[in-house]
Amino acid sequence: MEEQPRLMHPHGVGLAGHPGLTHRPPDVTAGSDGDSRKQDIGDILQQIMTITDQSLDEAQARKHALNCHRMKPALFNVLCEIKEKTVLSIRGAQDEEPPDPQLMRLDNMLLAEGVSGPEKGGGASAVAAAAAAAVGGTGNDNSVEHSDYRAKLTQIRQIYHTELEKYEQACNEFTTHVMNLLREQSRTRPISPKEIERMVSIIHRKFSSIQMQLKQSTCEAVMILRSRFLDARRKRRNFNKQATEILNEYFYSHLSNPYPSEEAKEELAKKCSITVSQVSNWFGNKRIRYKKNIGKFQEEANMYAARTAVNAASASAQGSQANSPSTPNSAGSAASFNMSHSGDLFMSVQSLNGDSYPAPQVGANIQSQVDTLRHVISQAGGYTDALAATQLYSPQGINANGVWQDAPTPSSVTSPTEGPGSVQSDTSN
DNA sequence: TCCAATGATTATGC
DNA sequence: GCATAATCATTGGA
C-alpha cells in the first residue's frame, strides 16, 4: 500500500499491474489537458509493457502486421526525413573536422623514421643520414651499429604494423557489427543511411584516437632508440697509428697552410679508412691544438719534417742516381713526399732552426738531426737551391694574430704510402 | 684511479 | 658552409 501515493503522484503516471514503475514527462502541467496527455502516455506504456508479456510468436505476428501496414513506408520515410533534418543538421558540421595536426606530425615522423611508409624507403634514408652523421670509430664499427639500429627499427616497425593491423581489423569488425545492427533496427525504427554513415565515422574516430596513441608510443620508442644510437656515436675509437701518421705527415708538410682541399680530404680519408668529416675534425682539432701549444708539438713537427726530408732526399737521390744500386731506400719509412712539391717541408726544416715559430723547443738531438738532414740533402745534390729558395718564404705558420699566414704552398703532395705525384693536395696555390 | 690525449659536438663568427 | 674555440666524452697509459 505504500506504492499507492507514488502511483498517484501528480508528476508520475502509474502503470496498472506494474507497481513502482513511473514515468515523469518533463512538461506535463496541471489541468484537464495535462491529465488527458498523462492518460495517453500511460496507455502507450501499458501497451509496451503488455508486449513484453506476449509470447514471441505473438510479438512477431504483431510486428509483421505493422510492417505490412499500407501506411508504414510513408510514415517511416517521414520519420526518417524529420530525423535527418533535426539530428544531422546539428551534428553535420562536426563531421567535417580538419585533420588533427598532432596526428599529422606523428605520421610525418613515422614516415621519416621509416616506421610507416614503404619498407626500405624512409628507414633506409634515416639510417643513411644517421650513418653520414655518425663519424665515430671505424667503418666496421659504424656498420655494426647501423645494423643494430636497423634491426631494432625493423622490430619497432613490425610491432607497429601488427598493432595497426589489429586495430584496423577490430575497427572493421566492430563497424560491420554496428552497421548490421543498425540495418536490422532500421526496419523497426527510423534510421537513415546517413545516420549509419555518421555512426561509422564516429566509430572510426574512436579507433583513430586509439591509433594515435599507438603512433605516439611508437614515436617515443623510435626517439629512445635514436637517442641511444646517437649516444653510441659518441663512443669514439682512436684512429690507428698509420692513419694518425698519414694525417700528421700531411699536416706538418703543409704547416704553412694546413687546410686540405676537399679532394685532399677525400684522399686522406681513403688512405686512413676514415670519413671526410673525421679528416675535417682531425685537422680542426690539430690546428687549434697546435696553435695553442706550439712548443709541445714542435718536437712532433720536427720529427715529421725530418722524416719527410729524409724520404724526399732519398727519393731525389734515387732520381739522380737512378742506375746506382747502392742508393739507400727511404730510411725505412713508408712516407715519401715528392720533393718538388714539398715547399712546406723546407719551411718545416726552416722552423727547426727557430726562425719561424715562437719559442720552438728543439731538442739537441733534433737539432743534430736537422744538421744531418741538411747534410743529406746537400749530399744528395740538386736541392740546395730549393733549400735556399725556401728562405724566400715569409715566416710561415701562425702570425701574431694567431692566424695561419698565407704562404705559397705546394700544389700537391704525394701520399706517404704512394708513389710521387699520385695524390692531389690542397688548393692553396 | 687519475689524467693527458684525442675524437666528436656545439656555439659563434665570418 | 667552413673555421675556430670551447667543451664533452671516451680511451689508454702510468
Side-chain angles (χ1 to χ4, degrees), chain A residues 333-355:
Chain A
S333 167
S336 68
F337 285 81
N338 189 336
M339 201 63 179
S340 61
H341 297 296
S342 38
D344 282 339
L345 156 68
F346 292 108
M347 287 188 247
S348 298
V349 172
Q350 181 191 17
S351 77
L352 294 176
N353 291 327
D355 294 332

Side-chain angles (χ1 to χ4, degrees), chain A residues 307 310-311 314 328-335:
Chain A
R307 185 188 295 183
V310 168
N311 293 339
S314 303
N329 209 340
S330 53
S333 167

Side-chain angles (χ1 to χ4, degrees), chain A residues 308-322 327 337-343 345-347 349 373-391 393 420:
Chain A
T308 309
V310 168
N311 293 339
S314 303
S316 81
Q318 268 189 328
S320 62
Q321 300 174 14
T327 306
F337 285 81
N338 189 336
M339 201 63 179
S340 61
H341 297 296
S342 38
L345 156 68
F346 292 108
M347 287 188 247
V349 172
L373 260 176
R374 284 180 176 277
H375 179 70
V376 167
I377 292 167
S378 65
Q379 288 292 303
Y383 293 97
T384 46
D385 287 347
L387 185 60
T390 63
Q391 306 299 326
Y393 289 122

Side-chain angles (χ1 to χ4, degrees), chain A residues 123-249:
Chain A
S125 62
V127 170
V135 283
T138 63
N140 286 339
D141 289 339
N142 276 344
S143 63
V144 168
E145 284 175 10
H146 298 162
S147 61
D148 197 33
Y149 177 82
R150 203 180 293 221
K152 288 200 165 66
L153 196 69
T154 309
Q155 214 175 335
I156 290 172
R157 186 191 165 91
Q158 277 171 353
I159 293 167
Y160 170 75
H161 281 285
T162 310
E163 290 296 309
L164 204 64
E165 229 168 82
K166 266 190 214 167
Y167 286 143
E168 274 170 7
Q169 202 181 338
C171 180
N172 287 338
E173 277 176 16
F174 190 71
T175 306
T176 312
H177 181 72
V178 168
M179 277 172 74
N180 288 339
L181 206 67
L182 288 173
R183 279 199 196 107
E184 181 65 29
Q185 286 189 0
S186 69
R187 286 180 181 177
T188 52
R189 67 185 183 96
I191 299 173
S192 66
K194 272 190 181 176
E195 204 177 349
I196 294 175
E197 271 177 38
R198 195 175 61 82
M199 192 62 81
V200 167
S201 73
I202 288 169
I203 294 166
H204 282 180
R205 268 207 296 273
K206 292 282 175 198
F207 271 90
S208 68
S209 73
I210 297 169
Q211 278 186 0
M212 193 157 87
Q213 284 176 12
L214 171 70
K215 284 175 181 177
Q216 208 157 3
S217 56
T218 307
C219 278
E220 280 170 16
V222 171
M223 292 308 286
I224 290 165
L225 176 68
R226 213 172 159 74
S227 69
R228 276 186 194 161
F229 180 70
L230 290 172
D231 286 346
R233 286 189 313 165
R234 294 188 72 93
K235 282 182 183 172
R236 64 174 184 81
R237 289 278 181 277
N238 286 351
F239 297 159
N240 62 40
K241 208 168 181 179
Q242 195 190 358
T244 311
E245 285 200 0
I246 290 167
L247 293 167
N248 271 319
E249 279 180 28

Side-chain angles (χ1 to χ4, degrees), chain A residues 288-309:
Chain A
I288 196 85
R289 283 161 188 166
Y290 179 84
K291 206 160 91 174
K292 269 186 178 176
N293 199 347
I294 292 172
K296 194 184 87 180
F297 284 98
Q298 195 59 56
E299 202 164 327
E300 189 180 65
N302 295 341
M303 190 189 79
Y304 279 101
R307 185 188 295 183
T308 309

